[in-house]
Amino acid sequence: MQVTDKRRQITVGIFIFIGLAIFVLGVFTLGGQKKAFTRSIKLSVLFDDIQGLKAGNNVWFSGVKIGTIKKIQFYGTSQVQVILSIDEEAHKYIHKDATASISSDGLIGNKIIVLTGGSEKFPFIEDGDQLRVSTTLSTDEIMKTFQVNNKNLVDITNDFKTLSRNLVEGKGAAGALLADEQIANNFKAIVANLQTTTKSSNKIAAELDQFARKLNTKGGLADQLMTDTAVFAQLQRSVAELENTTKSAAVMTENLNKASAKFNQTDNAVGLLINDPATAQQVKSIMTNLETSSQKLDEDLKALQSNFLFRGYFKKKAKEEAKATQELQKDTN
């Protein structure tokens, strides 16, 4: 009976010891997960919307868990203050300008807080510091964006469906091009004309190239004009002579203009005769008087020839003229 009681006590003691060991191991395990037995510092972050964060959620930095969410409480009128418990060893990698953002542990996992390291020109964080918030798209916003994109994709698919139906039915310019044989033939004719035009353009380009080569032929006129200084000097002299001729013609034209201008004036004889009717009438009268005087003079000479006093003189003069005429004819023969 005593042996049985001892065995029972030993068995109970063993179970109690095992139970205590399991309890202590569980406490240390949970404490390790919750960072209960490691030295830590506290940081705070102010969010407008914590998107379902809970106390006990993890804090990550560069893909490594460095702490947990210690406490969540309202701050001010509408903000929420989140208290973070960060391993003291991690503070030497995080600077005061670091930012905090809300993310998810996987696509639909628990909410977590992700910290950035900041820049090296700022000192490291200290216990009680408040971090800035980095605004990122939440999972809900991402899902909303996916929904909008899906709707847009459905609309685009419907548009392509309508477009393909119109093409098959021959609606619109593209549909008519595919369905109407006459339009297709016209399009082929246009393509053929474009090909012909392209060939003509190539031919013209080849001819221009040939013409350019002829211009560059050694010894040709164009080559001499561009390279031979003597030919160029002759061309310059010709141009200078042409300029002088042009100047002379201009001077002559100016003189003619001046002379013609004088014809239109009445301060000279020619202009007076041309432009003054009275002077012209006087000239006509003088010419008429001269003609009348010459007629009267002829009549007077004839009367003198008939007069006996001058008859011998005129006969003698006639004989001398006849003799002179005969001598002239002899010299000619």
Side-chain angles (χ1 to χ4, degrees):
M1 189 70 181
Q2 292 179 354
V3 174
T4 302
D5 292 336
K6 288 181 179 180
R7 287 180 179 177
R8 185 178 297 171
Q9 292 175 358
I10 292 172
T11 303
V12 172
I14 292 173
F15 276 107
I16 292 174
F17 177 75
I18 293 173
L20 289 174
I22 293 173
F23 175 76
V24 172
L25 181 62
V27 170
F28 277 102
T29 302
L30 293 175
Q33 292 180 354
K34 298 295 182 179
K35 306 291 183 180
F37 302 107
T38 57
R39 299 181 62 181
S40 62
I41 59 175
K42 291 183 179 180
L43 304 175
S44 64
V45 186
L46 291 178
F47 290 100
D48 294 328
D49 183 2
I50 61 173
Q51 304 175 18
L53 277 176
K54 295 180 181 179
N57 288 152
N58 297 325
V59 180
W60 293 75
F61 171 73
S62 297
V64 179
K65 178 184 174 182
I66 61 170
T68 58
I69 298 175
K70 195 73 174 178
K71 186 178 180 181
I72 297 176
Q73 60 187 9
F74 287 104
Y75 184 88
T77 57
S78 60
Q79 289 182 310
V80 179
Q81 184 181 38
V82 179
I83 308 299
L84 309 180
S85 178
I86 306 299
D87 294 345
E88 188 178 16
E89 292 294 327
H91 92 285
K92 59 184 178 181
Y93 302 104
I94 304 174
H95 300 268
K96 286 185 178 291
D97 64 332
T99 59
S101 61
I102 299 175
S103 183
S104 298
D105 189 4
L107 185 61
I108 56 175
N110 295 327
K111 296 292 184 180
I112 60 174
I113 289 182
V114 179
L115 302 182
T116 61
S119 58
E120 295 181 355
K121 62 182 181 180
F122 288 90
F124 296 116
I125 57 174
E126 298 176 353
D127 188 30
D129 285 344
Q130 179 174 310
L131 301 180
R132 296 183 295 113
V133 176
S134 175
T135 304
T136 57
L137 288 176
S138 64
T139 305
D140 294 337
E141 292 175 340
I142 293 173
M143 295 304 296
K144 290 180 181 178
T145 304
F146 280 151
Q147 290 177 356
V148 174
N149 291 336
N150 289 336
K151 185 178 181 301
N152 294 335
L153 184 60
V154 171
D155 293 338
I156 293 172
T157 304
N158 291 332
D159 292 338
F160 273 112
K161 184 178 179 181
T162 303
L163 178 61
S164 62
R165 183 183 300 110
N166 291 336
L167 290 176
V168 172
E169 294 176 357
K171 296 180 179 179
L177 182 62
L178 295 176
D180 194 333
E181 184 177 358
Q182 182 62 37
I183 295 178
N185 292 331
N186 293 338
F187 184 74
K188 289 180 181 179
I190 292 172
V191 173
N193 292 333
L194 287 176
Q195 291 177 348
T196 303
T197 304
T198 303
K199 290 181 181 179
S200 300
S201 300
N202 293 333
K203 183 178 179 181
I204 293 172
E207 291 176 353
L208 288 175
D209 182 65
Q210 185 178 2
F211 178 72
R213 290 181 180 178
K214 288 183 179 179
L215 289 178
N216 295 325
T217 301
K218 193 69 175 178
L221 177 61
D223 180 69
Q224 290 181 359
L225 288 175
M226 289 185 287
T227 58
D228 194 336
T229 56
V231 174
F232 184 72
Q234 292 177 359
L235 184 61
Q236 283 184 326
R237 287 195 296 270
S238 300
V239 172
E241 292 176 358
L242 182 60
E243 288 180 352
N244 293 330
T245 304
T246 304
K247 290 180 180 178
S248 300
V251 173
M252 183 177 64
T253 303
E254 185 178 0
N255 292 333
L256 288 175
N257 289 331
K258 290 180 179 179
S260 62
K262 289 182 178 181
F263 289 161
N264 296 324
Q265 298 174 359
T266 58
D267 59 349
N268 57 80
V270 177
L272 189 62
L273 289 174
I274 293 174
N275 298 304
D276 191 356
T279 303
Q281 187 64 36
Q282 289 177 0
V283 171
K284 288 181 180 180
S285 300
I286 292 170
M287 295 299 293
T288 302
N289 294 332
L290 286 175
E291 185 177 359
T292 303
S293 299
S294 63
Q295 290 178 356
K296 290 182 179 180
L297 183 60
D298 289 339
E299 292 177 357
D300 293 339
L301 287 175
K302 288 180 180 180
L304 287 174
Q305 289 178 3
S306 301
N307 193 304
F308 72 95
L309 294 175
F310 295 98
R311 190 179 298 167
Y313 171 76
F314 286 108
K315 288 183 178 180
K316 183 180 180 181
K317 187 175 180 181
K319 288 180 180 180
E320 290 178 356
E321 290 178 357
K323 184 178 181 180
T325 304
Q326 290 178 357
E327 290 179 356
L328 181 62
Q329 289 178 354
K330 289 180 181 180
D331 292 336
T332 304
N333 293 331

